[in-house]
Amino acid sequence: MTALPEGELVRRVVGDVPVLILRRGDDVAVRSDRCPHMAGPLHQGTPSGTDGDICVTCPWHGSVFRLSDGAVVHGPATASLPGFETRTEDGRLEVRVVAVPGLPVE
């Protein structure tokens, strides 16, 4: 996990899914890297806020998302960012898709 820079937005791919990662100490937020408005690359966005209220601003149209829960803080986006479950195992960050009720997980 130390390979992830502290406080910087990073893009990685989990399976075929591009994800946005922000590490702050031992806390890691993992969200979809694509803005739900028009698929802007959020890892190129701007982080803002403090402590548990860190947000990312989409570089294309300015939508703002809270990384703790993916909620839209400011549009034009109207849908939240999907999240992922994480854990650290032997110093490596492991990420998996959060199951959504009613949708099949393959």
Side-chain angles (χ1 to χ4, degrees):
M1 193 163 83
T2 57
L4 293 171
E6 174 77 22
E8 292 182 31
L9 300 174
V10 176
R11 179 187 185 267
R12 295 288 190 269
V13 178
V14 177
D16 294 332
V17 179
V19 297
L20 168 73
I21 302 172
L22 179 67
R23 180 176 76 87
R24 293 173 297 136
D26 291 335
D27 293 328
V28 179
V30 180
R31 295 275 158 199
S32 171
D33 185 47
R34 295 291 177 216
C35 177
H37 174 241
M38 294 196 66
L42 294 176
H43 71 280
Q44 294 176 6
T46 306
S48 62
T50 58
D51 299 325
D53 203 18
I54 300 293
C55 296
V56 61
T57 301
C58 179
W60 286 6
H61 301 107
S63 292
V64 179
F65 302 92
R66 194 169 43 236
L67 291 182
S68 61
D69 61 3
V72 177
V73 175
H74 182 291
T78 57
S80 298
L81 288 177
F84 300 84
E85 292 179 345
T86 64
R87 72 177 182 181
T88 303
E89 192 70 35
D90 296 325
R92 292 182 40 197
L93 178 66
E94 295 181 349
V95 178
R96 73 177 184 179
V97 174
V98 175
V100 177
L103 292 179
V105 177
E106 298 180 23

Coordinates of all heavy atoms in Angstrom, one line a residue:
M1 N 0.8 -1.2 0.0 CA 0.0 0.0 0.0 C 0.9 1.3 0.0 O 0.4 2.3 -0.4 CB -1.0 0.0 1.2 CG -2.0 1.0 1.1 SD -3.4 0.8 2.1 CE -2.8 1.5 3.6
T2 N 2.1 1.2 0.4 CA 3.0 2.3 0.5 C 3.3 2.8 -0.9 O 3.8 3.9 -1.1 CB 4.3 2.0 1.3 OG1 4.9 0.9 0.7 CG2 3.9 1.8 2.7
A3 N 3.0 2.0 -2.0 CA 3.3 2.4 -3.3 C 2.3 3.5 -3.8 O 2.5 4.1 -4.8 CB 3.2 1.2 -4.3
L4 N 1.2 3.6 -3.0 CA 0.2 4.7 -3.3 C 0.7 5.9 -2.7 O 0.9 6.0 -1.5 CB -1.2 4.3 -2.8 CG -1.9 3.1 -3.4 CD1 -3.1 2.7 -2.6 CD2 -2.2 3.4 -4.9
P5 N 0.8 7.0 -3.4 CA 1.2 8.3 -2.9 C 0.2 8.8 -1.9 O -1.0 8.7 -2.1 CB 1.4 9.2 -4.1 CG 0.6 8.6 -5.2 CD 0.5 7.1 -4.9
E6 N 0.7 9.5 -0.9 CA -0.2 10.1 0.2 C -0.9 11.3 -0.4 O -0.2 12.2 -0.9 CB 0.7 10.5 1.4 CG 0.0 11.3 2.4 CD -0.8 10.4 3.3 OE1 -0.6 9.2 3.4 OE2 -1.7 11.0 4.0
G7 N -2.2 11.4 -0.3 CA -3.0 12.5 -0.6 C -3.1 12.9 -2.1 O -3.5 14.0 -2.4
E8 N -2.7 12.0 -3.0 CA -2.8 12.2 -4.4 C -3.9 11.3 -5.0 O -4.0 10.1 -4.6 CB -1.5 12.0 -5.1 CG -0.4 13.0 -4.7 CD 0.9 12.7 -5.5 OE1 0.8 12.2 -6.6 OE2 1.9 13.0 -4.9
L9 N -4.6 11.8 -6.0 CA -5.6 11.0 -6.8 C -4.8 10.1 -7.7 O -3.9 10.5 -8.4 CB -6.5 11.9 -7.5 CG -7.4 12.8 -6.7 CD1 -8.2 13.8 -7.6 CD2 -8.3 12.1 -5.8
V10 N -5.1 8.8 -7.7 CA -4.4 7.8 -8.5 C -5.4 7.0 -9.2 O -6.5 6.6 -8.7 CB -3.6 6.9 -7.6 CG1 -2.9 5.8 -8.4 CG2 -2.5 7.7 -6.8
R11 N -5.1 6.6 -10.5 CA -6.0 5.7 -11.2 C -5.3 4.4 -11.3 O -4.1 4.2 -11.6 CB -6.2 6.3 -12.7 CG -7.0 5.4 -13.5 CD -7.0 5.9 -15.0 NE -7.9 5.1 -15.8 CZ -7.5 4.1 -16.5 NH1 -6.3 3.6 -16.5 NH2 -8.4 3.4 -17.3
R12 N -6.1 3.3 -11.1 CA -5.7 1.9 -11.2 C -6.9 1.2 -11.9 O -8.0 1.7 -12.0 CB -5.4 1.3 -9.9 CG -4.2 1.8 -9.1 CD -2.9 1.5 -9.8 NE -1.8 1.8 -9.0 CZ -1.1 3.0 -9.1 NH1 -1.5 3.9 -9.9 NH2 -0.1 3.2 -8.3
V13 N -6.6 0.0 -12.4 CA -7.7 -0.8 -13.0 C -7.8 -2.1 -12.2 O -6.9 -2.8 -12.0 CB -7.3 -1.1 -14.5 CG1 -8.4 -2.0 -15.1 CG2 -7.1 0.2 -15.3
V14 N -9.1 -2.3 -11.8 CA -9.4 -3.5 -11.1 C -10.3 -4.4 -12.0 O -11.4 -4.0 -12.4 CB -10.2 -3.2 -9.8 CG1 -10.6 -4.5 -9.1 CG2 -9.4 -2.4 -8.9
G15 N -9.7 -5.5 -12.5 CA -10.4 -6.3 -13.6 C -10.4 -5.4 -14.8 O -9.3 -5.1 -15.3
D16 N -11.5 -5.0 -15.3 CA -11.7 -4.1 -16.4 C -12.2 -2.7 -16.0 O -12.5 -1.9 -16.8 CB -12.6 -4.7 -17.4 CG -12.1 -5.9 -18.1 OD1 -10.9 -6.1 -18.2 OD2 -12.9 -6.8 -18.5
V17 N -12.2 -2.5 -14.7 CA -12.9 -1.3 -14.2 C -11.8 -0.2 -13.7 O -11.0 -0.5 -12.8 CB -13.8 -1.6 -13.0 CG1 -14.5 -0.3 -12.4 CG2 -14.9 -2.6 -13.4
P18 N -11.8 1.0 -14.3 CA -10.9 2.0 -13.8 C -11.4 2.6 -12.5 O -12.6 2.9 -12.4 CB -10.9 3.1 -14.9 CG -12.2 2.8 -15.7 CD -12.6 1.4 -15.5
V19 N -10.5 2.6 -11.5 CA -10.9 3.1 -10.2 C -10.0 4.3 -9.8 O -8.9 4.5 -10.3 CB -10.9 2.1 -9.1 CG1 -11.8 0.9 -9.4 CG2 -9.5 1.5 -8.9
L20 N -10.6 5.2 -9.0 CA -9.9 6.3 -8.4 C -9.5 5.9 -6.9 O -10.4 5.5 -6.2 CB -10.8 7.5 -8.4 CG -10.4 8.7 -7.6 CD1 -9.3 9.4 -8.3 CD2 -11.6 9.6 -7.4
I21 N -8.3 6.2 -6.6 CA -7.8 5.8 -5.2 C -7.2 7.1 -4.6 O -6.5 7.8 -5.2 CB -6.8 4.7 -5.2 CG1 -7.4 3.5 -5.9 CG2 -6.3 4.4 -3.8 CD1 -6.3 2.4 -6.1
L22 N -7.6 7.3 -3.3 CA -7.0 8.4 -2.6 C -6.6 7.8 -1.2 O -7.4 7.3 -0.5 CB -7.9 9.6 -2.3 CG -7.3 10.7 -1.5 CD1 -6.2 11.4 -2.2 CD2 -8.4 11.7 -1.1
R23 N -5.2 7.8 -0.9 CA -4.7 7.3 0.4 C -4.4 8.4 1.3 O -3.7 9.4 0.9 CB -3.5 6.4 0.2 CG -2.9 5.9 1.5 CD -1.8 4.9 1.2 NE -0.6 5.7 0.9 CZ 0.3 6.1 1.8 NH1 0.1 6.0 3.1 NH2 1.4 6.7 1.4
R24 N -4.8 8.3 2.5 CA -4.5 9.3 3.6 C -4.1 8.5 4.8 O -4.9 7.9 5.5 CB -5.6 10.2 3.9 CG -6.0 11.2 2.7 CD -7.2 12.0 3.0 NE -8.3 11.1 3.1 CZ -9.3 11.2 4.0 NH1 -9.3 12.1 4.9 NH2 -10.3 10.3 4.1
G25 N -2.8 8.3 5.0 CA -2.3 7.4 6.0 C -2.8 6.0 5.7 O -2.5 5.4 4.7
D26 N -3.4 5.4 6.7 CA -3.9 4.0 6.5 C -5.3 4.0 5.9 O -5.9 2.9 5.6 CB -4.0 3.2 7.9 CG -2.5 2.9 8.4 OD1 -1.6 2.9 7.5 OD2 -2.4 2.8 9.6
D27 N -6.0 5.1 5.8 CA -7.3 5.2 5.2 C -7.2 5.3 3.7 O -6.4 6.1 3.1 CB -8.1 6.4 5.7 CG -8.4 6.3 7.2 OD1 -8.6 5.2 7.7 OD2 -8.4 7.3 7.9
V28 N -8.0 4.5 3.0 CA -8.0 4.5 1.5 C -9.5 4.6 1.0 O -10.3 3.9 1.5 CB -7.4 3.2 1.0 CG1 -7.4 3.2 -0.6 CG2 -6.0 3.1 1.5
A29 N -9.7 5.6 0.1 CA -11.0 5.7 -0.5 C -10.9 5.2 -2.0 O -9.9 5.6 -2.7 CB -11.5 7.1 -0.5
V30 N -11.8 4.3 -2.4 CA -11.8 3.8 -3.7 C -13.1 4.0 -4.3 O -14.1 3.5 -3.8 CB -11.4 2.3 -3.8 CG1 -11.4 1.8 -5.2 CG2 -10.0 2.1 -3.1
R31 N -13.2 4.7 -5.4 CA -14.4 5.0 -6.1 C -14.2 4.8 -7.6 O -13.1 4.7 -8.1 CB -14.9 6.4 -5.9 CG -15.2 6.8 -4.5 CD -16.6 6.4 -4.2 NE -16.9 6.2 -2.8 CZ -17.9 5.6 -2.3 NH1 -18.8 5.0 -3.1 NH2 -18.0 5.4 -1.0
S32 N -15.3 4.8 -8.4 CA -15.2 4.7 -9.8 C -14.4 5.9 -10.3 O -14.5 7.0 -9.8 CB -16.6 4.7 -10.5 OG -16.5 4.9 -11.9
D33 N -13.5 5.7 -11.3 CA -12.7 6.8 -11.9 C -13.5 7.6 -12.9 O -13.0 8.6 -13.4 CB -11.4 6.3 -12.5 CG -10.5 7.4 -12.9 OD1 -10.3 8.4 -12.2 OD2 -10.0 7.3 -14.1
R34 N -14.7 7.1 -13.3 CA -15.5 7.8 -14.3 C -16.6 8.6 -13.7 O -17.5 8.0 -13.0 CB -16.0 6.8 -15.3 CG -14.9 6.1 -16.1 CD -14.2 7.1 -17.0 NE -13.1 6.5 -17.7 CZ -12.0 7.2 -18.0 NH1 -11.9 8.5 -17.6 NH2 -11.1 6.6 -18.7
C35 N -16.7 9.9 -14.0 CA -17.8 10.7 -13.6 C -19.1 10.2 -14.2 O -19.1 9.9 -15.4 CB -17.6 12.2 -14.0 SG -18.9 13.3 -13.6
P36 N -20.2 10.0 -13.4 CA -21.4 9.5 -13.9 C -22.1 10.5 -14.9 O -23.0 10.1 -15.6 CB -22.3 9.2 -12.7 CG -21.7 9.9 -11.6 CD -20.2 10.1 -11.9
H37 N -21.7 11.7 -14.9 CA -22.3 12.7 -15.8 C -21.9 12.5 -17.2 O -22.8 12.2 -18.1 CB -21.9 14.1 -15.4 CG -22.4 15.2 -16.3 ND1 -21.5 16.0 -16.9 CD2 -23.6 15.6 -16.6 CE1 -22.2 16.9 -17.7 NE2 -23.5 16.6 -17.5
M38 N -20.6 12.4 -17.5 CA -20.2 12.2 -18.9 C -18.9 11.5 -19.0 O -18.1 11.6 -19.9 CB -20.1 13.5 -19.7 CG -21.5 14.1 -19.9 SD -21.6 15.4 -21.1 CE -21.3 14.5 -22.6
A39 N -18.6 10.7 -18.0 CA -17.4 9.8 -17.9 C -16.1 10.5 -17.9 O -15.1 10.0 -18.3 CB -17.4 8.8 -19.1
G40 N -16.1 11.7 -17.3 CA -14.8 12.4 -17.1 C -13.8 11.6 -16.2 O -14.3 10.9 -15.3
P41 N -12.5 11.7 -16.5 CA -11.5 11.0 -15.7 C -11.3 11.7 -14.3 O -10.5 12.7 -14.2 CB -10.3 11.1 -16.6 CG -10.5 12.4 -17.3 CD -11.9 12.5 -17.5
L42 N -11.9 11.2 -13.3 CA -11.8 11.8 -12.0 C -10.4 11.9 -11.4 O -10.1 12.8 -10.6 CB -12.8 11.2 -11.0 CG -14.2 11.3 -11.4 CD1 -15.1 10.6 -10.4 CD2 -14.6 12.8 -11.4
H43 N -9.5 10.9 -11.8 CA -8.1 11.0 -11.3 C -7.4 12.2 -11.8 O -6.4 12.6 -11.2 CB -7.4 9.7 -11.7 CG -7.0 9.6 -13.1 ND1 -7.9 9.2 -14.1 CD2 -5.9 9.9 -13.8 CE1 -7.3 9.2 -15.2 NE2 -6.1 9.6 -15.1
Q44 N -7.9 12.9 -12.8 CA -7.3 14.1 -13.3 C -8.0 15.3 -12.6 O -7.7 16.5 -12.9 CB -7.5 14.2 -14.8 CG -6.7 13.2 -15.5 CD -6.9 13.3 -17.0 OE1 -7.6 14.2 -17.5 NE2 -6.3 12.4 -17.7
G45 N -8.9 15.1 -11.7 CA -9.7 16.1 -11.0 C -8.9 16.7 -9.9 O -7.7 16.5 -9.7
T46 N -9.6 17.5 -9.1 CA -9.0 18.2 -8.0 C -9.6 17.7 -6.6 O -10.8 17.8 -6.4 CB -9.2 19.7 -8.1 OG1 -8.8 20.2 -9.4 CG2 -8.5 20.5 -7.0
P47 N -8.7 17.3 -5.7 CA -9.2 16.9 -4.4 C -9.4 18.2 -3.5 O -8.6 19.2 -3.7 CB -8.1 16.0 -3.8 CG -6.9 16.4 -4.5 CD -7.3 16.9 -5.9
S48 N -10.3 18.2 -2.6 CA -10.5 19.3 -1.7 C -11.2 18.8 -0.5 O -11.7 17.7 -0.4 CB -11.4 20.4 -2.4 OG -12.7 19.8 -2.7
G49 N -11.2 19.7 0.6 CA -11.8 19.3 1.8 C -10.8 18.9 2.8 O -9.6 18.9 2.6
T50 N -11.3 18.5 4.0 CA -10.5 18.1 5.1 C -11.1 16.8 5.8 O -12.3 16.6 5.7 CB -10.3 19.2 6.2 OG1 -11.6 19.5 6.6 CG2 -9.7 20.4 5.6
D51 N -10.2 16.1 6.4 CA -10.5 14.9 7.2 C -11.5 14.0 6.4 O -11.3 13.6 5.3 CB -11.0 15.3 8.5 CG -10.0 16.1 9.3 OD1 -8.8 15.7 9.2 OD2 -10.3 17.0 10.1
G52 N -12.7 13.7 7.1 CA -13.6 12.7 6.5 C -14.5 13.3 5.4 O -15.3 12.6 4.9
D53 N -14.3 14.5 5.0 CA -15.1 15.2 4.0 C -14.3 15.5 2.8 O -14.4 16.6 2.2 CB -15.8 16.4 4.6 CG -17.0 16.8 3.9 OD1 -17.6 16.0 3.1 OD2 -17.5 18.0 4.0
I54 N -13.4 14.6 2.4 CA -12.6 14.9 1.2 C -13.5 14.7 -0.1 O -14.3 13.7 -0.2 CB -11.4 13.9 1.1 CG1 -10.5 14.1 2.3 CG2 -10.7 14.1 -0.2 CD1 -9.8 15.4 2.4
C55 N -13.4 15.6 -1.0 CA -14.2 15.6 -2.2 C -13.2 15.6 -3.4 O -12.1 16.0 -3.3 CB -15.1 16.8 -2.3 SG -16.4 16.8 -1.0
V56 N -13.8 15.2 -4.6 CA -13.0 15.3 -5.8 C -13.9 16.1 -6.8 O -15.1 15.8 -6.9 CB -12.6 14.0 -6.4 CG1 -13.8 13.1 -6.7 CG2 -11.7 14.1 -7.6
T57 N -13.3 17.0 -7.6 CA -14.0 17.8 -8.6 C -13.7 17.2 -10.0 O -12.5 17.1 -10.3 CB -13.7 19.3 -8.5 OG1 -14.0 19.7 -7.2 CG2 -14.4 20.1 -9.6
C58 N -14.7 16.9 -10.8 CA -14.5 16.4 -12.1 C -13.8 17.5 -13.0 O -14.3 18.6 -13.0 CB -15.8 15.9 -12.7 SG -15.6 15.3 -14.4
P59 N -12.8 17.1 -13.7 CA -12.1 18.2 -14.5 C -12.9 18.6 -15.8 O -12.6 19.6 -16.3 CB -10.8 17.5 -14.9 CG -11.1 16.0 -15.0 CD -12.1 15.8 -13.8
W60 N -13.9 17.9 -16.2 CA -14.6 18.2 -17.4 C -15.7 19.2 -17.1 O -15.8 20.2 -17.9 CB -15.2 17.0 -18.0 CG -14.2 16.1 -18.7 CD1 -12.8 16.3 -18.7 CD2 -14.4 15.0 -19.5 NE1 -12.2 15.3 -19.5 CE2 -13.2 14.5 -20.0 CE3 -15.6 14.3 -19.9 CZ2 -13.0 13.3 -20.8 CZ3 -15.4 13.2 -20.7 CH2 -14.2 12.7 -21.1
H61 N -16.6 19.0 -16.2 CA -17.8 19.8 -16.0 C -18.0 20.3 -14.6 O -19.0 20.9 -14.3 CB -19.0 19.1 -16.5 CG -19.0 18.7 -18.0 ND1 -18.8 17.4 -18.4 CD2 -19.0 19.5 -19.1 CE1 -18.7 17.4 -19.7 NE2 -18.8 18.6 -20.1
G62 N -17.1 20.0 -13.7 CA -17.1 20.5 -12.3 C -18.0 19.9 -11.3 O -18.2 20.4 -10.2
S63 N -18.5 18.7 -11.6 CA -19.3 18.0 -10.6 C -18.4 17.6 -9.4 O -17.2 17.3 -9.6 CB -19.9 16.6 -11.2 OG -20.9 16.9 -12.1
V64 N -18.9 17.7 -8.2 CA -18.1 17.4 -7.0 C -18.7 16.3 -6.3 O -19.9 16.2 -6.1 CB -18.1 18.7 -6.1 CG1 -17.3 18.4 -4.8 CG2 -17.5 19.9 -6.8
F65 N -17.8 15.3 -5.9 CA -18.3 14.1 -5.2 C -17.5 13.9 -3.9 O -16.3 14.1 -3.8 CB -18.0 12.8 -6.1 CG -18.6 12.9 -7.4 CD1 -18.0 13.4 -8.5 CD2 -19.9 12.5 -7.6 CE1 -18.5 13.5 -9.8 CE2 -20.5 12.5 -8.9 CZ -19.8 13.0 -9.9
R66 N -18.3 13.5 -2.8 CA -17.6 13.2 -1.6 C -17.1 11.8 -1.7 O -17.8 10.8 -2.1 CB -18.7 13.3 -0.5 CG -18.1 13.3 0.9 CD -19.2 13.6 2.0 NE -20.5 13.0 1.8 CZ -21.6 13.6 1.7 NH1 -21.7 14.9 1.7 NH2 -22.7 12.9 1.5
L67 N -15.8 11.6 -1.4 CA -15.2 10.3 -1.5 C -15.6 9.3 -0.5 O -15.6 8.1 -0.7 CB -13.7 10.4 -1.6 CG -13.1 11.1 -2.8 CD1 -11.6 11.2 -2.8 CD2 -13.6 10.4 -4.1
S68 N -16.0 9.7 0.7 CA -16.4 8.8 1.8 C -17.6 7.9 1.4 O -17.6 6.8 1.7 CB -16.6 9.5 3.1 OG -17.7 10.4 2.9
D69 N -18.5 8.5 0.7 CA -19.7 7.8 0.3 C -20.1 7.9 -1.1 O -21.1 7.3 -1.6 CB -20.9 8.1 1.2 CG -21.3 9.6 1.1 OD1 -20.7 10.4 0.3 OD2 -22.2 10.0 1.9
G70 N -19.4 8.7 -1.9 CA -19.6 8.8 -3.4 C -20.8 9.8 -3.7 O -21.1 10.0 -4.8
A71 N -21.3 10.5 -2.7 CA -22.5 11.4 -2.9 C -22.1 12.6 -3.7 O -21.0 13.1 -3.7 CB -23.0 11.8 -1.5
V72 N -23.1 13.0 -4.5 CA -22.9 14.3 -5.3 C -23.1 15.5 -4.4 O -24.1 15.6 -3.7 CB -24.0 14.4 -6.4 CG1 -23.8 15.7 -7.2 CG2 -23.9 13.2 -7.4
V73 N -22.0 16.3 -4.3 CA -22.1 17.5 -3.5 C -22.6 18.7 -4.4 O -23.3 19.6 -3.9 CB -20.7 17.8 -2.9 CG1 -20.7 19.2 -2.2 CG2 -20.3 16.7 -2.0
H74 N -22.2 18.7 -5.7 CA -22.5 19.7 -6.6 C -22.6 19.1 -8.0 O -21.6 18.4 -8.4 CB -21.5 20.8 -6.5 CG -21.7 22.0 -7.4 ND1 -21.7 22.0 -8.8 CD2 -22.1 23.3 -7.1 CE1 -22.0 23.1 -9.3 NE2 -22.2 24.0 -8.3
G75 N -23.6 19.4 -8.8 CA -23.8 18.8 -10.1 C -23.0 19.6 -11.2 O -22.3 20.5 -10.8
P76 N -23.1 19.2 -12.4 CA -24.3 18.7 -13.1 C -24.6 17.2 -12.9 O -25.7 16.7 -13.2 CB -24.1 19.0 -14.5 CG -22.6 19.0 -14.7 CD -22.0 19.5 -13.4
A77 N -23.7 16.4 -12.3 CA -24.0 15.0 -12.1 C -25.1 14.8 -11.1 O -25.3 15.6 -10.2 CB -22.7 14.3 -11.6
T78 N -25.9 13.8 -11.3 CA -27.1 13.5 -10.4 C -26.9 12.2 -9.8 O -27.7 11.9 -8.8 CB -28.4 13.6 -11.2 OG1 -28.4 12.6 -12.3 CG2 -28.7 15.0 -11.7
A79 N -26.0 11.3 -10.2 CA -25.8 10.0 -9.7 C -24.5 10.0 -8.9 O -23.5 10.6 -9.2 CB -25.8 9.0 -10.8
S80 N -24.5 9.2 -7.8 CA -23.4 9.0 -6.9 C -22.3 8.2 -7.6 O -22.6 7.4 -8.5 CB -23.8 8.4 -5.6 OG -24.7 9.2 -4.9
L81 N -21.1 8.3 -7.1 CA -20.0 7.4 -7.6 C -20.1 6.1 -6.9 O -20.2 6.0 -5.7 CB -18.6 8.0 -7.2 CG -18.2 9.3 -7.9 CD1 -16.8 9.7 -7.3 CD2 -18.0 9.0 -9.4
P82 N -20.0 5.0 -7.7 CA -20.0 3.7 -7.1 C -18.7 3.5 -6.3 O -17.7 4.0 -6.6 CB -19.9 2.7 -8.4 CG -20.4 3.5 -9.5 CD -20.1 5.0 -9.2
G83 N -18.9 2.7 -5.2 CA -17.8 2.4 -4.3 C -17.3 1.0 -4.4 O -17.9 0.1 -5.0
F84 N -16.2 0.7 -3.7 CA -15.6 -0.6 -3.7 C -15.2 -1.0 -2.2 O -14.9 -0.1 -1.5 CB -14.4 -0.7 -4.6 CG -14.7 -0.4 -6.0 CD1 -14.8 0.9 -6.4 CD2 -15.0 -1.4 -6.9 CE1 -15.1 1.2 -7.8 CE2 -15.3 -1.1 -8.2 CZ -15.4 0.2 -8.6
E85 N -15.3 -2.3 -1.9 CA -14.8 -2.7 -0.6 C -13.3 -2.9 -0.7 O -12.8 -3.3 -1.7 CB -15.5 -4.0 -0.2 CG -16.9 -3.9 0.1 CD -17.6 -5.2 0.4 OE1 -16.9 -6.3 0.2 OE2 -18.7 -5.2 1.0
T86 N -12.6 -2.5 0.4 CA -11.1 -2.6 0.4 C -10.7 -3.3 1.7 O -11.4 -3.3 2.7 CB -10.5 -1.2 0.3 OG1 -10.8 -0.5 1.5 CG2 -10.9 -0.5 -0.9
R87 N -9.5 -3.9 1.6 CA -8.8 -4.4 2.7 C -7.3 -4.4 2.4 O -6.9 -4.4 1.2 CB -9.3 -5.7 3.2 CG -8.9 -6.9 2.3 CD -9.3 -8.2 2.8 NE -8.9 -9.3 1.9 CZ -9.2 -10.5 2.1 NH1 -9.9 -10.9 3.2 NH2 -8.7 -11.4 1.3
T88 N -6.5 -4.4 3.4 CA -5.0 -4.5 3.2 C -4.6 -5.8 3.7 O -4.9 -6.3 4.8 CB -4.3 -3.4 4.0 OG1 -4.8 -2.1 3.6 CG2 -2.8 -3.4 3.8
E89 N -3.9 -6.5 2.8 CA -3.4 -7.9 3.1 C -1.9 -7.9 2.7 O -1.6 -7.7 1.6 CB -4.2 -8.9 2.3 CG -4.0 -10.3 2.7 CD -4.6 -10.7 4.0 OE1 -5.7 -10.1 4.4 OE2 -4.0 -11.5 4.7
D90 N -1.1 -8.2 3.7 CA 0.4 -8.2 3.5 C 0.9 -7.0 2.8 O 1.7 -7.1 1.9 CB 0.8 -9.5 2.7 CG 0.4 -10.8 3.4 OD1 0.6 -10.8 4.7 OD2 0.1 -11.8 2.8
G91 N 0.4 -5.8 3.2 CA 0.9 -4.6 2.6 C 0.3 -4.2 1.3 O 0.6 -3.2 0.7
R92 N -0.6 -5.1 0.8 CA -1.2 -4.8 -0.5 C -2.7 -4.4 -0.4 O -3.4 -5.0 0.5 CB -1.2 -6.1 -1.4 CG 0.2 -6.5 -1.8 CD 0.2 -7.7 -2.7 NE -1.0 -7.7 -3.6 CZ -1.5 -8.7 -4.3 NH1 -0.9 -9.9 -4.1 NH2 -2.5 -8.6 -5.1
L93 N -3.1 -3.5 -1.2 CA -4.5 -3.1 -1.1 C -5.3 -4.0 -2.0 O -5.0 -4.2 -3.2 CB -4.7 -1.6 -1.6 CG -6.1 -1.1 -1.7 CD1 -6.7 -1.0 -0.3 CD2 -6.1 0.2 -2.4
E94 N -6.4 -4.6 -1.5 CA -7.3 -5.5 -2.2 C -8.6 -4.8 -2.4 O -9.1 -4.2 -1.4 CB -7.4 -6.8 -1.6 CG -6.1 -7.6 -1.5 CD -6.3 -9.0 -0.8 OE1 -7.4 -9.2 -0.2 OE2 -5.3 -9.8 -0.9
V95 N -9.1 -4.8 -3.6 CA -10.4 -4.1 -3.9 C -11.4 -5.0 -4.5 O -11.0 -5.8 -5.4 CB -10.1 -2.9 -4.9 CG1 -11.3 -2.2 -5.2 CG2 -9.0 -2.0 -4.3
R96 N -12.6 -4.9 -4.2 CA -13.7 -5.7 -4.8 C -14.9 -4.8 -4.9 O -15.2 -3.9 -4.1 CB -14.0 -7.0 -4.2 CG -14.7 -6.9 -2.9 CD -15.0 -8.3 -2.3 NE -15.8 -8.2 -1.1 CZ -16.2 -9.2 -0.4 NH1 -15.9 -10.4 -0.8 NH2 -17.0 -9.0 0.6
V97 N -15.7 -5.2 -5.9 CA -17.0 -4.5 -6.2 C -18.0 -4.7 -5.0 O -18.1 -5.8 -4.5 CB -17.6 -5.0 -7.5 CG1 -19.0 -4.3 -7.7 CG2 -16.7 -4.7 -8.7
V98 N -18.7 -3.7 -4.6 CA -19.7 -3.8 -3.6 C -20.9 -4.3 -4.3 O -21.4 -3.8 -5.3 CB -20.0 -2.4 -3.0 CG1 -21.1 -2.5 -2.0 CG2 -18.8 -1.9 -2.3
A99 N -21.5 -5.4 -3.8 CA -22.7 -5.9 -4.3 C -23.9 -5.0 -4.2 O -24.1 -4.4 -3.1 CB -23.1 -7.3 -3.6
V100 N -24.6 -4.8 -5.2 CA -25.8 -3.9 -5.2 C -27.1 -4.8 -5.2 O -27.2 -5.7 -6.0 CB -25.8 -3.0 -6.5 CG1 -27.1 -2.2 -6.5 CG2 -24.6 -2.2 -6.5
P101 N -28.0 -4.6 -4.2 CA -29.2 -5.5 -4.1 C -29.9 -5.4 -5.4 O -30.1 -4.4 -6.0 CB -30.0 -4.8 -3.0 CG -29.0 -4.1 -2.2 CD -27.9 -3.6 -3.1
G102 N -30.3 -6.6 -5.9 CA -31.1 -6.7 -7.2 C -30.3 -6.8 -8.4 O -30.8 -7.1 -9.5
L103 N -28.9 -6.6 -8.3 CA -28.1 -6.8 -9.5 C -27.2 -8.0 -9.3 O -26.6 -8.2 -8.3 CB -27.2 -5.5 -9.7 CG -27.9 -4.3 -10.1 CD1 -26.9 -3.1 -10.2 CD2 -28.6 -4.4 -11.4
P104 N -27.1 -8.8 -10.4 CA -26.2 -10.0 -10.3 C -24.8 -9.7 -10.2 O -24.3 -8.7 -10.8 CB -26.5 -10.8 -11.5 CG -27.0 -9.8 -12.5 CD -27.7 -8.7 -11.7
V105 N -24.0 -10.4 -9.4 CA -22.5 -10.3 -9.3 C -21.9 -11.5 -10.0 O -22.2 -12.6 -9.7 CB -22.1 -10.2 -7.9 CG1 -20.6 -10.1 -7.8 CG2 -22.7 -9.0 -7.2
E106 N -21.1 -11.2 -11.0 CA -20.5 -12.3 -11.8 C -19.1 -12.6 -11.3 O -18.4 -11.7 -10.8 CB -20.5 -12.0 -13.2 CG -21.9 -11.9 -13.8 CD -21.9 -11.6 -15.3 OE1 -20.9 -11.9 -16.0 OE2 -22.9 -11.0 -15.7

